């Protein structure tokens, strides 16, 4: 690791304060160009520890930047992983207060809920599908704390992969009831389709993102616990939203889920 524990703690406090106060910041690698991947995930871990110390509960995990559309949009080449806590959770049809966010965008996602734990290395799509209880539509609201969404991957990892809010809803289906590669996804803003795709946009199969997460955690001696909810990553590019917008995600055979922004 290139950073000291003190610097990691200071950067975690800085990024979490930016999140809680809806303030943006230049990317942290501007001042810490030697920061490595272990430092980046250590900063993310300290942000989680800060939240847990205040009574937060982990409600799931996320994979980000798992589609070519997202990678192209952000100018990056690799997926990243983060955590979901109860303060990010929204109810279906909820109203999101944009004053609590910096520059929110929405992403159409397929969420997985596991009935068995998954542990890498060597996790693959088949193991993910066998361990999955059900899948359902989810909208992730991302809100990078970095000014104008200008960042590099390590800065994004430290910032818990821009996690801000999410909702799951619609109809939960068993993994064998749907072909997650061909399932159609339509994201509507104010009644107009603004982004379209199919599940295969996520690494060829959304379960591949869950396998990558299990393998990533396995390298750190961790696993995805049974019962976890996991967002597998945006099927399309992310879409900017403002107060007054209504967003609905429709996933073929899985119904729809909506959010309002005020
Ligand atoms: O969930 C995501 O794909 C977000 C990854 C972080 C990069 C971004 O803010 O777009
Ligand atoms: Mg996402």
């Amino acid at each position: 690791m290139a950073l000291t524990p003190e610097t990691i703690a200071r950067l975690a406090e800085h990024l979490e304060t930016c999140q809680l106060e809806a303030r943006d910041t230049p990317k942290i690698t501007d001042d810490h160009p030697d920061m490595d991947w272990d430092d980046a995930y250590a900063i993310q871990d300290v942000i989680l520890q800060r939240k847990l110390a205040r009574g937060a509960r982990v409600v799931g995990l996320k994979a980000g930047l798992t589609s070519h559309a997202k990678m192209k949009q952000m100018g990056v080449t690799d997926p990243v992983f983060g955590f979901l806590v109860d303060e990010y959770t929204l109810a279906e049809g909820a109203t999101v207060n944009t004053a609590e966010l910096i520059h929110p965008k929405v992403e159409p996602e397929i969420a997985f809920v596991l009935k068995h734990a998954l542990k890498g290395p060597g996790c693959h799509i088949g193991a993910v599908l066998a361990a999955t209880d059900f899948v359902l539509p989810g909208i992730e609201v991302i809100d990078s704390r970095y000014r104008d969404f200008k960042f590099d991957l390590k800065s994004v990892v430290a910032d818990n992969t821009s996690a801000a809010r999410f909702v799951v809803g619609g109809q939960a289906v068993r993994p064998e009831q749907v072909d997650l590669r061909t399932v159609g996804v339509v994201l509507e803003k104010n009644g107009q389709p603004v982004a379209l795709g199919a599940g295969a946009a996520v690494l060829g199969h959304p379960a591949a993102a869950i396998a990558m997460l299990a393998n990533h955690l396995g390298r750190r001696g961790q696993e995805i616990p049974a019962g976890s909810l996991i967002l597998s990553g945006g099927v399309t590019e992310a879409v900017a939203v403002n107060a007054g917008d209504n967003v609905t995600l429709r996933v073929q055979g899985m119904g729809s889920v909506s959010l309002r922004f005020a």
Side-chain angles (χ1 to χ4, degrees), residues 158-170:
D159 185 32
N160 193 24
T161 66
S162 311
R165 302 283 185 276
F166 74 96
V167 63
V168 292

Side-chain angles (χ1 to χ4, degrees), residues 163-182:
R165 302 283 185 276
F166 74 96
V167 63
V168 292
Q171 195 184 327
V173 301
R174 304 263 173 224
E176 61 274 16
Q177 289 177 297
V178 58
D179 182 347
L180 287 172
R181 296 165 305 171
T182 55

Side-chain angles (χ1 to χ4, degrees), residues 15 33 36 64 68 76 109 115 118 148 159 182 207 214 223 228:
L15 287 173
D36 65 24
H68 291 301
V76 297
E109 308 220 5
K115 57 187 173 190
L118 276 172
D148 303 323
D159 185 32
T182 55
E223 63 178 21
S228 292

Side-chain angles (χ1 to χ4, degrees), residues 27 29-30 35 76 146 150-157:
K27 67 181 191 302
T29 47
D30 287 355
M35 186 174 107
V76 297
Y146 298 119
K150 289 208 173 73
F151 47 60
D152 50 34
L153 273 185
K154 289 175 191 154
S155 295
V156 167
V157 165

